Amino acid sequence: MDPAAALPAPLTSLVGRDAEVRLAAERLGAGRLVTLVGPAGSGKTRVAVAVAAGAPGPVRFVDLSTMDTGDPAGFVLDALGVARRPDLSTFDGMLSALRAVHLLLLDNCEHAAPAVAEFAARLLGAAPDLRVLATSRQPLGLAAEAVLGIHPLDPATALRLFETRMFERTGHPLPPAHRPAAATICAALDGLPLAVELAAARAALLSVPEVNRLLADRFRVLADAKAPGPEHHRTLRAALDWSYQLLSPDKQALLRQLAVFQGGWSAAAVATLPAYRPGLLAALAERSLLAPPVAGRGRLLQTIAAYAAARLAEHPAESAAAHAAHAEHYLGLAEQAAAGIRGPEQRTWLHTLTLEQDNLRAALAGLAARPGPSFDADLRMAAAMAPFQHFIGGYSQGRQWLADALDRRPSAPPPARVAALSAAATLAMLACDYPAAAALAHQALPHTSGPARGPLLTLLGSVERERARYEVSSLHLEEARQWYRKASDAWGEGRATQLAGATAWLSGDLDAAAELLAASLTAFRDLADAESAASSLTHLGAVAHYRGDQPAARRHLASALDGFTELAFPEGVAWAQDLLGRVDLADDRLPSAAERLRASLSIHRRVGDRWRAASVLEALAECRRRAGDPAHGAALLAAADVVRREIGAPTPTCEQPARAATDAALREALPAADYARAYRFGARTALDDLLAVSGAATLSPARTSS
């Protein structure tokens, strides 16, 4: 026997593949042909060698990577080191050489899969005691074949492999300070064993943080020219080149173009690519070039995506066409979503947009790079994405997209600019930047007429409501309601009615608020808009609370909280928790009130709603007072006052009696000098530090004297 046909002796330990080795051995015991299938660099050969090492009889190993498709039997016979006999055919000579062999391991079958399949079928039929273990990036396609997927390692196992290889090379364990960077490396490499091992080898020479930094050029960094074995086992680029070169041109083109997707693709999205043809995706999946789908969405491993992107860059015209198709699809999706997100399909659209966030950002970036002051696609897309940014609390990001697009496209068609200005004004208002919101709305108003003025008037009504200019707010909202009514826009009228109800309860007109909010709730339930219906319930809960009907308030708010939680709508969850905390205070449920108010404050701060954050701070001040911590209560009132001065919004009228009562009680509980010290402390202390003090211990007057 030629020594080359002996089983390779691994130089390192096999990490994290015990289950696959055991399962492959079991399948070989139950059947006679097992193929280990997985993407480039997944470690198929290492697993196969480990399985073969445990075989109960003689084993022969044949690497088929250099075989052409003509004569597998002759190639195997030569690999076994057996002289050809003139009295026997090549196949019979090989069969004779394998007479006492229990297991034949055929490595790297993918480039000649049909020929290997035909050969294996004939071989197993002629040698009833022989078993065949194959490795390939695609199945051989035989009825008797058991296919076992060799997938990338999970994050914990990949990190263990990295640590093991680092220790084997350096003799030192991975420093704890470097574990986060090592975990990041393993995640970026999708847990592919070849890539992880190459990264560990580089980290042993450089450092883990340095390799992490260099991974932007992973194919240059992850190469080990000194390692034994064929080149496609030594460099990440060569491993993927091997798979790529086995593809037909149409499959190569589709693989390249899949690189335009970020975070996966839907069936509708991938069908827009220039290279898409029915059946090509399935062919790429069969060759282990696609990751397993998640929730019906196709995806590439990050490493394969990076390779495909590099290949796509070699074809500039094709790259431009693929990116244009991607951007056009996601612009259409964003505009459909903006139209459909307020209605019976709300949950579906929210789910879709959540899945597609990375693709939407990539499409917007691509559109933004196109030249021309009158080009409007990026402006339209930024405006269309604004409702979703509202839902997820991404006010700052959405504002930046819109501001940049408005600056880039000063000559865009008026409808696109007006829509973008309106969206930018809405997000500015939500972020409590009232001057900017009003300025943007007034910039758009001259270019609108009739019912088109409704959204801008609604927005101005909201700006003035939060500034506590309730009469002006009501006038704007009433005019908006009239325009919506004339246009038979039931949703717009419902929203203006709801916000008019909010203005009413914040100003203290609870009867008017109850009537308006009941009408809006009916409208939104008829329209099957779950978020807007929950918002109406929230405001009705506030009305009940300020009327003193805490049981009714709790019912409304609990129902609203359930709705907001199901939609994962942070602003709504924060509002409901805020008001439930006040109901708890009214019912003297102090621990629950504090917990709810803190949860509400955390969300308000995360999304950037400083107006409600200030109100929650005032309610938390009352919690601290009742808990016997008047100094910290005074500090929280000061923090609320700082926020209100910054945004130019006073305490709402309906909340003023409670705030005044809290302040009076705190002044009564503390000597004047101690109150003043605590207030100064709250005014100049970072809010995170102030809240940390609240959670840790009572803030005594002595602690505020520094």
Side-chain angles (χ1 to χ4, degrees):
M1 179 188 73
D2 192 315
L7 201 61
L11 300 178
T12 56
S13 59
L14 182 62
V15 175
R17 293 301 197 188
D18 292 350
E20 289 90 340
V21 171
R22 183 170 57 253
L23 184 56
E26 290 173 357
R27 291 187 178 180
L28 277 172
R32 297 178 56 216
L33 172 62
V34 173
T35 305
L36 305 184
V37 174
S42 60
K44 301 180 291 296
T45 300
R46 287 299 310 275
V47 173
V49 168
V51 173
V59 175
R60 296 294 180 268
F61 172 88
V62 179
D63 180 3
L64 301 182
S65 60
T66 59
M67 183 189 80
D68 60 27
T69 60
D71 183 17
F75 186 91
V76 171
L77 184 61
D78 291 342
L80 294 174
V82 178
R84 303 195 183 206
R85 292 173 51 182
D87 59 324
L88 294 175
S89 68
T90 303
F91 183 84
D92 288 341
M94 179 213 60
L95 199 61
S96 175
L98 293 174
R99 187 167 38 248
V101 172
H102 173 78
L103 176 66
L104 176 63
L105 199 170
L106 299 176
D107 197 27
N108 297 306
C109 299
E110 52 273 344
H111 66 298
V116 174
E118 183 180 351
F119 165 71
R122 184 181 179 192
L123 177 61
L124 291 171
D129 295 328
L130 181 68
R131 284 163 171 74
V132 173
L133 176 62
T135 73
S136 178
R137 297 179 191 181
Q138 67 184 83
L140 299 181
L142 294 173
E145 177 186 29
V147 177
L148 176 61
I150 304 300
H151 302 295
L153 300 171
D154 63 71
T157 307
L159 180 58
R160 181 157 60 89
L161 174 62
F162 186 95
E163 292 179 303
T164 300
R165 295 296 181 259
M166 280 282 291
F167 182 81
E168 289 170 351
R169 284 181 173 261
T170 67
H172 303 290
L174 181 69
H178 289 178
R179 281 181 62 85
T184 300
I185 290 170
C186 294
L189 298 175
D190 308 297
L192 283 170
L194 172 62
V196 171
E197 296 205 20
L198 292 170
R202 297 296 282 177
L205 296 173
L206 302 172
S207 71
V208 175
E210 182 69 4
V211 170
N212 189 29
R213 186 183 67 80
L214 293 172
L215 273 188
D217 188 6
R218 65 183 67 196
F219 299 115
R220 182 181 65 82
V221 173
L222 302 183
D224 188 353
K226 297 180 181 179
E231 185 183 7
H232 63 270
H233 285 183
R234 291 188 277 112
T235 76
L236 191 58
R237 174 78 190 214
L240 292 168
D241 281 341
W242 173 260
S243 290
Y244 182 76
Q245 290 158 2
L246 296 176
L247 299 175
S248 59
D250 56 347
K251 297 182 185 71
Q252 289 181 346
L254 182 58
L255 179 64
R256 291 192 298 266
Q257 292 176 25
L258 290 175
V260 302
F261 291 108
Q262 306 296 312
W265 58 80
S266 66
V270 75
T272 66
L273 293 179
Y276 176 82
R277 300 290 184 277
L280 291 185
L281 270 180
L284 293 178
E286 185 180 63
R287 288 157 176 79
S288 303
L289 287 165
L290 303 187
V294 175
R297 289 171 59 78
R299 62 193 182 98
L300 293 173
L301 296 176
Q302 292 182 65
T303 297
I304 296 177
Y307 177 85
R311 285 291 192 174
L312 184 61
E314 297 169 359
H315 302 265
E318 178 187 329
S319 177
H323 280 96
H326 176 272
E328 182 178 350
H329 173 78
Y330 284 103
L331 171 59
L333 183 77
E335 291 185 325
Q336 282 183 279
I341 204 169
R342 300 292 187 182
E345 296 183 348
Q346 187 173 77
R347 290 179 178 84
T348 299
W349 278 117
L350 288 172
H351 177 68
T352 297
L353 294 177
T354 298
L355 291 175
E356 296 289 11
Q357 286 184 78
D358 291 341
N359 277 314
L360 290 164
R361 292 189 186 98
L364 179 58
L367 293 171
R370 297 191 193 178
S374 62
F375 183 76
D376 71 346
D378 55 333
L379 204 59
R380 288 162 50 202
M381 187 159 194
M385 289 169 66
F388 181 63
Q389 295 304 114
H390 178 192
F391 264 100
I392 65 173
Y395 310 154
S396 177
Q397 181 67 82
R399 290 184 70 189
Q400 190 63 57
W401 286 336
L402 285 158
D404 290 345
L406 285 163
D407 286 344
R408 275 193 305 270
R409 315 298 181 189
S411 305
R417 282 194 63 83
V418 167
L421 287 166
S422 179
T426 298
L427 293 176
M429 185 277 296
L430 291 167
C432 306
D433 188 350
Y434 306 122
L440 288 162
H442 284 298
Q443 188 179 343
L445 268 173
H447 303 285
T448 62
S449 61
R453 297 171 63 83
L456 292 167
L457 291 166
T458 302
L459 170 68
L460 288 169
S462 293
V463 169
E464 300 306 335
R465 179 183 65 253
E466 296 194 5
R467 285 170 157 173
R469 300 172 183 173
Y470 301 119
E471 291 185 7
V472 179
S473 172
S474 296
L475 289 172
H476 284 313
L477 292 166
E478 181 56 34
E479 184 181 353
R481 292 176 71 199
Q482 292 174 9
W483 282 120
Y484 286 129
R485 196 174 295 126
K486 287 180 181 178
S488 299
D489 183 345
W491 188 90
E493 184 180 354
R495 177 48 60 97
T497 300
Q498 178 193 82
L499 296 176
T503 295
W505 76 258
L506 285 163
S507 70
D509 189 349
L510 301 180
D511 291 340
E515 182 178 347
L516 290 163
L517 292 166
S520 73
L521 179 61
T522 298
F524 288 129
R525 283 177 169 167
D526 289 345
L527 292 166
D529 184 335
E531 179 275 318
S532 296
S535 292
S536 292
L537 282 171
T538 301
H539 294 304
L540 284 167
V543 171
H545 167 63
Y546 285 106
R547 279 176 163 173
D549 187 351
Q550 307 311 326
R554 195 178 294 279
R555 284 196 303 274
H556 288 317
L557 293 168
S559 180
L561 180 59
D562 287 344
F564 291 137
T565 301
E566 182 182 351
L567 293 169
F569 182 35
E571 177 191 310
V573 171
W575 256 105
Q577 291 283 41
D578 170 354
L579 290 164
L580 280 167
R582 295 168 195 274
V583 171
D584 282 338
L585 272 176
D587 289 342
D588 204 26
R589 300 180 181 181
L590 193 58
S592 177
E595 182 178 355
R596 289 188 185 278
L597 291 167
R598 280 180 167 274
S600 172
L601 181 61
S602 175
I603 298 172
H604 282 312
R605 295 182 67 207
R606 175 166 56 83
V607 302
D609 187 349
R610 292 178 290 166
W611 178 61
R612 288 315 302 169
S615 288
V616 175
L617 286 169
E618 290 166 347
L620 280 170
E622 175 63 13
C623 284
R624 297 312 304 164
R625 183 194 71 78
R626 295 192 194 183
D629 186 5
H632 193 257
L636 289 170
L637 282 185
D641 289 345
V642 169
V643 174
R644 294 200 180 283
R645 285 194 296 271
E646 289 174 349
I647 66 174
T651 302
T653 297
C654 67
E655 295 174 5
Q656 287 176 4
R659 190 203 187 284
T662 296
D663 188 48
L666 291 170
R667 291 177 184 275
E668 183 177 345
L670 289 169
D674 290 344
Y675 179 94
R677 265 196 302 274
Y679 190 92
R680 286 196 302 272
F681 180 81
R684 67 176 184 241
T685 301
L687 190 52
D688 285 333
D689 295 338
L690 193 60
L691 294 171
V693 171
S694 170
T698 297
L699 178 65
S700 66
R703 292 177 63 184
T704 70
S705 60
S706 58

